[in-house]
Amino acid sequence: IERTLSIIKPDATKRNLTGKINAKFEDAGLRIVAQKRIHLTKDQAGVFYAVHKERPFFDELTSFMASEPVVVQVLEGENAIAKNREVMGATNPAEAAAGTIRAEFAESVGENSVHGSDAPETAAVEIAYFFSGLELV
Ligand code: ATP
Ligand code: MG
């Protein structure tokens, strides 16, 4: 059984889509084992997305992630990392498969409703960035 870090991004929390997005995770067999709503500072978003620091969209991305509260969550299931990314769909909603979260809800390549860890190593680091051991059962 595997765990992954998911973020419901500001464009989605703003439009009250948390429940609809969570239903897609649960329908796919992913269990929400931890969840909280937080408002990131731009610096905190920058630490989270440090791997993209040199990319042209870094400033836009971190401003967006700090623009409104987000819902951070830990999803658990068989192959949770790959399964979550499948349910999310492609980064660019124009290329996301029908029925995926990004196909249904994302507004643009930047404001694309959800984040999901991309590997076991990044999942461990990202989960520890937002959740303490006491919050994970
Ligand atoms: P995430 O890491 O958020 O789960 P991802 O792995 O599908 O998404 P990445 O390539 O890691 O995509 O990019 C991280 C995030 O940066 C994207 O989800 C998106 O919000 C933003 N982003 C990526 N490419 C662009 C772009 N060309 N213009 C604006 N924002 C972008
Ligand atoms: Mg990524």
Side-chain angles (χ1 to χ4, degrees):
I1 212 98
E2 190 173 66
R3 287 181 169 185
T4 190
L5 190 280
S6 164
I7 304 179
I8 302 179
K9 295 183 178 183
D11 65 285
T13 60
K14 194 164 60 182
R15 288 177 288 148
N16 254 355
L17 293 171
T18 300
K20 284 183 176 145
I21 289 171
N22 279 348
K24 291 214 180 261
F25 294 144
E26 292 185 334
D27 288 349
L30 292 164
R31 184 182 304 280
I32 302 161
V33 296
Q35 171 168 267
K36 59 190 171 187
R37 184 172 185 261
I38 59 175
H39 196 151
L40 291 169
T41 65
K42 193 171 168 172
D43 281 352
Q44 289 166 341
V47 171
F48 180 77
Y49 275 124
V51 64
H52 296 306
K53 204 161 42 197
E54 307 304 329
R55 308 284 281 277
F57 56 80
F58 182 72
D59 188 69
E60 176 189 330
L61 173 62
T62 53
S63 294
F64 164 61
M65 291 299 288
S67 66
E68 299 268 342
V70 297
V71 172
V72 293
Q73 48 193 191
V74 178
L75 307 180
E76 181 182 272
E78 294 294 337
N79 298 311
I81 295 169
K83 191 176 281 181
N84 179 38
R85 291 182 70 84
E86 196 179 307
V87 175
M88 287 164 52
T91 309
N92 183 348
E95 292 161 11
T100 62
I101 292 168
R102 283 165 168 167
E104 282 190 26
F105 303 125
E107 311 209 275
S108 64
V109 65
E111 307 205 357
N112 60 1
S113 302
V114 281
H115 161 83
S117 307
D118 57 14
E121 301 71 36
T122 49
V125 170
E126 291 177 3
I127 289 170
Y129 188 59
F130 291 114
F131 294 95
S132 75
L134 284 174
E135 292 174 299
L136 293 165
V137 293

